[in-house]
Amino acid sequence: MNKNEKNSKENNILSLIPKAEKYIQYIIEMIIKIPRTEKFSIGTETKVSMYKMVNNVLHLYKLNKSYNGKQELELLNNIDAELNCQRIFLRIMWRQYWIDTKKFEVAMSKIYEIGKIVGGLSKYYAKNN
C-alpha cells in the first residue's frame, strides 16, 4: 500500500465520523417528535442501530492504525447492515406518516453519503485483502 492510498483511506474513515455524528443528531431530533408510543419502540430500535453503527466506525478507525484487512471488512459489513436496518426503520416511519417526506429524504440522503464511503472502503479492503 503506497502513502497516497493510505492517506485516502484514512481520510475516508475520518470523514465517516463527523458524517455519522451529524446523521445521528438529525435522527434523534426527528425521533423526539414522533408519537410517544412509537418513540419508545421503533425510535429505540433506530437509536440502538445508530449507536452500533458509530461504534463500528470508531473501531474501524482504531484498526486503521494497524492494517489487517479482514477485521476492517467485517466492521464495514456490520456498518452496512446497520445502515440497511435504519433505512427500513425510516421507511416504516415515513409510510406510517410519523415523519414527513422532507425529513425522510434528508435522512436517506445522509445514509446514502455514509453508505457511499462504506462501499468505497469495502471495495478497497476487498481488493487489497
Side-chain angles (χ1 to χ4, degrees):
M1 169 178 12
N2 70 34
K3 193 172 184 170
N4 285 340
E5 284 180 342
K6 187 172 183 173
N7 286 338
S8 174
K9 175 181 58 111
E10 189 167 312
N11 287 340
N12 278 339
I13 294 170
L14 281 173
S15 72
L16 267 177
I17 297 169
K19 285 187 186 296
E21 282 179 37
K22 287 176 186 171
Y23 165 69
I24 289 171
Q25 182 65 39
Y26 183 80
I27 296 297
I28 288 174
E29 289 171 4
M30 188 178 67
I31 288 172
I32 288 171
K33 296 174 184 168
I34 66 174
R36 184 183 174 113
T37 54
E38 304 313 321
K39 188 185 309 184
F40 298 111
S41 58
I42 199 166
T44 300
E45 291 298 322
T46 304
K47 286 192 286 186
V48 167
S49 178
M50 289 186 308
Y51 298 149
K52 284 182 189 175
M53 177 197 69
V54 80
N55 190 22
N56 285 324
V57 168
L58 293 173
H59 278 92
L60 180 66
Y61 175 69
K62 288 295 182 184
L63 281 178
N64 187 38
K65 302 297 181 197
S66 60
Y67 179 74
N68 176 327
K70 286 185 180 183
Q71 285 180 304
E72 283 90 344
L73 271 174
E74 185 178 329
L75 285 170
L76 288 164
N77 285 333
N78 290 340
I79 294 167
D80 190 47
E82 294 302 334
L83 288 172
N84 285 330
C85 285
Q86 292 161 38
R87 284 183 184 102
I88 291 168
F89 296 147
L90 284 166
R91 278 194 291 271
I92 291 169
M93 286 186 247
W94 178 63
R95 286 185 189 130
Q96 295 299 316
Y97 302 105
W98 299 328
I99 61 173
D100 61 32
T101 302
K102 184 177 187 315
K103 287 180 183 172
F104 173 74
E105 288 172 353
V106 169
M108 289 302 243
S109 70
K110 289 179 182 292
I111 289 177
Y112 175 75
E113 286 178 31
I114 295 169
K116 240 168 86 169
I117 296 169
V118 169
L121 287 168
S122 294
K123 286 179 185 174
Y124 172 82
Y125 283 115
K127 183 180 87 174
N128 292 319
N129 195 5

